[in-house]
Amino acid sequence: MDTKELLKKVRKIEIKTRRLSDHIFGGEYHSTFKGRGMTFSEVRQYQFGDDVRSIDWNVTARYNEPYVKVFEEERELTMMLMVDVSGSELFGTSNQFKKEIITEISATLAFSALQNNDKVGLILFSDKVELYIPPKKGKSHVLRIIRELLEFHPKSSETNLAEALKFLTNVMKKKAIVFVLSDFIADNYENTLRIVGNKHDVTGIRVYDQREEAIPNLGMVQMQDAETGEIQLVNTQSKQVRLAYGQHYKDKVAYFTNSFNKSGCGVINCRADESYVKKLLGYFKRRG
């Protein structure tokens, strides 16, 4: 992708997702994710109706009239986007690949954080951490994140979510809002997720395609594993084969749901041909 084409794509995503974050998600994001607590703002004269417990007795004694301490919510938060860039994300039978939908959702979340003056960081992972962008504020930083989501070419096509979660634990010492965006065709991450969930506010956003749920009867079909590259001839006429595939898929989804629920983390399921806007908004409203 040349620079001109890349900038055009970044601009297109910015226009679409920024409008969503400004008009739909901004207020919902603010009310859903709270600050770290209350921080001292100023001292002012006591007014009728003020809580007497907030009186600053030192200042009151100095000026011989009551003064109260004013506190504000400490709003500054850090959002971390953890995005799966393994081979299985380059799949789609509707209008978009899973990767493209994940990019749009990530951009929408990033602009929502920007609107609230929060920091945003990015971790791109396959079976290892491919790229880490430390959290920062500002529009230019968010646009850099979008560029990486569009342009980045991973070295590996396989997935290891546990490794990415361990990396997050090492680099993020303070509590963060963490969104993990993947199809979650992965194993053995529940224990690591529980540790991360105890420290951070974690939500798993599972993006999947309707054709992944079941194999249609198409006869003998040559199929390739997007992550390992293995090619196999599959008899889709066989009911047993179709049932085995369907069960395997259900097991992966159940592992994702159970792992996140047990770890106290949020779950959003987004099918590629459905509106992710409704899914995100519904999640924010339920939590808020």
Side-chain angles (χ1 to χ4, degrees), residues 70 94 120 163 190 195 226 231:
V70 179
S94 53
V120 189
E163 278 301 308
E190 183 181 345
I195 294 166
I231 297 173

Side-chain angles (χ1 to χ4, degrees), residues 2 13 21 23 28 44 53 85 92 99 111-112 122 153 164 167 182 201 209 216 218-219 222 243 274 282:
D2 62 34
I13 287 181
S21 62
H23 296 110
E28 297 298 337
R44 62 164 171 77
R53 290 173 296 182
V85 291
K99 179 181 185 290
F111 278 120
S112 296
L122 177 69
H153 297 287
F167 179 84
S182 171
D201 186 337
D209 191 276
L218 299 170
Q222 195 176 59
L243 286 173
E274 295 176 337

Side-chain angles (χ1 to χ4, degrees), residues 17-288:
T17 59
R18 185 150 197 179
R19 189 173 67 245
L20 288 173
S21 62
D22 286 352
H23 296 110
I24 300 174
F25 295 113
E28 297 298 337
Y29 169 86
H30 183 96
S31 60
T32 302
F33 301 104
K34 305 296 182 185
R36 289 195 292 268
M38 304 301 287
T39 184
F40 174 74
S41 174
E42 61 178 338
V43 174
R44 62 164 171 77
Q45 282 184 299
Y46 177 87
Q47 296 172 2
F48 179 76
D50 284 340
D51 189 339
V52 294
R53 290 173 296 182
S54 63
I55 291 176
D56 186 322
W57 294 107
N58 291 329
V59 178
T60 296
R62 193 180 309 144
Y63 291 102
N64 206 26
E65 59 180 311
Y67 277 77
V68 293
K69 290 178 181 177
V70 179
F71 293 86
E72 291 180 348
E73 180 190 1
E74 192 179 355
R75 255 310 300 175
E76 185 177 292
L77 298 168
T78 298
M79 177 192 287
M80 283 303 302
L81 298 169
M82 296 183 65
V83 177
D84 183 354
V85 291
S86 62
S88 62
E89 304 310 326
L90 291 169
F91 179 80
T93 59
S94 53
N95 294 329
Q96 291 176 295
F97 289 141
K98 289 184 285 184
K99 179 181 185 290
E100 293 170 323
I101 295 164
I102 285 173
T103 298
E104 284 191 17
I105 294 173
S106 299
T108 302
L109 292 169
F111 278 120
S112 296
L114 175 67
Q115 192 180 347
N116 282 277
N117 201 33
D118 294 338
K119 294 177 182 177
V120 189
L122 177 69
I123 295 172
L124 300 182
F125 69 93
S126 54
D127 59 349
K128 59 188 175 185
V129 172
E130 298 268 358
L131 177 70
Y132 170 57
I133 299 178
K136 277 178 66 177
K137 294 182 182 182
K139 180 182 171 182
S140 60
H141 180 70
V142 169
L143 292 177
R144 184 202 167 187
I145 285 173
I146 295 171
R147 282 199 303 273
E148 293 293 354
L149 287 165
L150 284 169
E151 192 183 35
F152 189 82
H153 297 287
K155 294 182 176 67
S156 173
S157 58
E158 298 186 32
T159 313
N160 189 331
L161 177 54
E163 278 301 308
L165 291 169
K166 286 175 190 172
F167 179 84
L168 175 77
T169 303
N170 291 331
V171 295
M172 294 302 298
K173 301 305 179 187
K174 292 183 179 178
K175 183 177 180 179
I177 299 164
V178 180
F179 288 98
V180 187
L181 298 102
S182 171
D183 54 15
F184 292 95
I185 308 297
D187 298 301
N188 304 318
Y189 56 81
E190 183 181 345
N191 292 336
T192 315
L193 179 64
R194 191 178 291 118
I195 294 166
V196 173
N198 283 334
K199 184 178 180 181
H200 303 291
D201 186 337
V202 183
T203 301
I205 303 179
R206 186 174 74 93
V207 178
Y208 66 101
D209 191 276
Q210 59 184 329
R211 288 298 179 200
E212 292 175 309
E213 297 177 276
I215 298 179
N217 184 349
L218 299 170
M220 295 295 288
V221 178
Q222 195 176 59
M223 293 186 175
Q224 183 177 26
D225 188 312
E227 299 204 355
T228 64
E230 181 185 353
I231 297 173
Q232 201 171 333
L233 200 61
V234 179
N235 180 13
T236 62
Q237 283 181 315
S238 167
K239 187 178 179 181
Q240 191 176 356
V241 167
R242 295 199 304 274
L243 286 173
Y245 175 86
Q247 189 56 53
H248 175 73
Y249 180 80
K250 285 176 184 175
D251 290 344
K252 295 285 186 186
V253 175
Y255 181 74
F256 158 69
T257 305
N258 293 335
S259 297
F260 273 76
N261 286 338
K262 285 180 185 177
S263 304
C265 304
V267 167
I268 304 174
N269 290 288
C270 289
R271 206 171 78 179
D273 59 334
E274 295 176 337
S275 167
Y276 66 80
V277 175
K278 289 180 181 176
K279 295 295 178 78
L280 285 177
L281 197 55
Y283 176 73
F284 284 173
K285 284 185 173 177
R286 284 195 303 276
R287 282 200 46 166

